[in-house]
Structures are given as C-alpha cells and as structure tokens.
C-alpha cells in the first residue's frame, strides 16, 4: 500500500513539475511579446475614466479569485470526507473488516 502511495506521490510531483515548466515557458513568451509590442508602439495616453481609481487592480482580482478557490476546495474536501464518513457502515464490516460481497457466504 505504501509503495502505491509513493508511486502516486512521485507521479503527482512529476505532473506538477511539468505543469510548472509549461507555465514558465508561457510567462517567458508573454514577457517577450509584451516587450516587443511596447518597443514598437507609441505611448498611449491613459484615458481619464470616471471611477477608474475604484476598480480593483489585476493583482487583487487574481488574489481574490484564488482565495475563493482555496476556500471552495477546502469546503469540497470537507464535503467528500463527510460523505465517506456517512457511507462508512456500507464500506466496512465489524471491526473495520471488509464485508463479504453480495452472493457469497462467510466461511
């Protein structure tokens, strides 16, 4: 059982590493693109929009979205654990043993 868990953790680590490398490549490409666009375009004056100073900054929007996602994920975990606890009588027999499958008799 522990071997399976270790393999699963190693696989998760590899997936996360691959995702991170892909993300880094995308961020690098966007930086190069933005630098190129900035170098070939004239300065654009920022329009004086009413209430523009009241709008959240992009960094605040990202932080807020991820804070919410973290809370939602924690809530979903609690829910899933509650479901497992509620179904425990169906998934384990007396003394934590697995109940016999339907159609078989205990020996």
């Amino acid at each position: 059982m522990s071997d399976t868990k270790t393999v699963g953790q190693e696989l998760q680590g590899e997936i996360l590493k691959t995702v991170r490398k892909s993300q880094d490549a995308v961020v690098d490409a966007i930086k190069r693109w933005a630098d190129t666009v900035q170098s070939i375009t004239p300065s654009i004056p920022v329009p004086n929009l009413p209430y523009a100073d009241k709008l959240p900054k992009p960094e605040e929007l990202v932080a807020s979205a991820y804070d919410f996602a973290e809370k939602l994920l924690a809530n979903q975990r609690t829910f899933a654990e509650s479901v497992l606890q509620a179904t425990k009588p169906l998934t384990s027999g007396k003394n934590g043993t697995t109940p016999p499958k339907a159609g078989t008799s205990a020996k």
Side-chain angles (χ1 to χ4, degrees):
M1 182 69 166
S2 64
D3 290 337
T4 303
K5 186 175 182 180
T6 302
V7 170
Q9 289 172 337
E10 289 173 4
L11 181 59
Q12 289 176 358
E14 287 299 314
I15 290 170
L16 291 173
K17 190 166 84 174
T18 301
V19 168
R20 185 72 216 148
K21 283 182 181 180
S22 299
Q23 292 169 335
D24 289 344
V26 169
V27 169
D28 184 54
I30 291 171
K31 283 180 184 176
R32 286 187 278 138
W33 172 80
D35 290 343
T36 301
V37 170
Q38 184 181 23
S39 70
I40 62 173
T41 57
S43 295
I44 301 172
V46 177
N48 189 8
L49 298 174
Y51 305 108
D53 59 331
K54 306 283 187 226
L55 295 173
K57 293 181 174 32
E59 297 86 1
E60 295 169 340
L61 288 172
V62 169
S64 176
Y66 276 91
D67 288 345
F68 174 70
E70 286 174 7
K71 291 174 186 172
L72 183 61
L73 187 58
N75 182 279
Q76 285 297 102
R77 181 180 188 155
T78 301
F79 170 71
E81 289 170 347
S82 296
V83 168
L84 288 175
Q85 189 64 34
T87 60
K88 199 170 192 170
L90 299 175
T91 58
S92 63
K94 293 181 182 177
N95 302 325
T97 61
T98 305
K101 293 183 180 181
T104 62
S105 60
K107 293 182 180 181

